[in-house]
Amino acid sequence: QVQLVESGGGLVQAGGSLRLSCTASGTIFSVEIMGWYRQAPGKQRELVAHITSGGSTNYADSVKGRFTISRDNAKNTVYLQMNILKPEDTAIYYCNARVRRVSYRPAFDSWGQGTQVTVSS
């Protein structure tokens, strides 16, 4: 089994900052891509940012220049630094990791339970 545990959500005023963390644990051979998705009420889940094990990143246009994703491969942990938060960033944020449990089996996606981020105007 693989577990993803998120932390760092909360309530913040517009213009403020939050930092999300997510750690993968369990039987893990390697973690390929790690990322963050979000889902606002009444909307579909969308990609916020992801980062490969080599450090390549990809961001949604709506967060470019404001959010920064990073990871600590030794700790199987991914971070999302969110600055200049806007009310439209309000959503449940989900951690995602593409995990390979053993070298000879395909990787699979694992999800965290989500952490609420609320930005007040």
Side-chain angles (χ1 to χ4, degrees), residues 8-20 38 40-41 63 66-67 82-93 115-121:
L11 173 65
V12 65
Q13 288 189 331
S17 298
L18 283 173
R19 188 190 194 212
L20 305 182
R38 67 186 181 187
V63 307
R66 300 188 297 122
F67 291 9
M82 305 185 292
N83 298 328
I84 316 175
L85 282 160
K86 304 176 181 180
E88 51 263 45
D89 294 318
T90 295
I92 300 174
Y93 284 68
T115 184
Q116 177 71 47
V117 171
T118 302
V119 184
S120 62
S121 56

Side-chain angles (χ1 to χ4, degrees), residues 2 7 13-14 20 30 55 60-61:
V2 175
S7 62
Q13 288 189 331
L20 305 182
S30 64
D61 288 343

Side-chain angles (χ1 to χ4, degrees), residues 5-55:
V5 178
E6 302 136 330
S7 62
L11 173 65
V12 65
Q13 288 189 331
S17 298
L18 283 173
R19 188 190 194 212
L20 305 182
S21 300
C22 171
T23 298
S25 63
T27 303
I28 297 173
F29 172 76
S30 64
V31 182
E32 299 176 356
I33 296 175
M34 299 189 81
W36 293 93
Y37 289 71
R38 67 186 181 187
Q39 188 167 17
K43 295 188 176 181
Q44 289 188 331
R45 190 174 297 190
E46 63 177 1
L47 173 69
V48 177
H50 71 230
I51 183 168
T52 69
S53 57

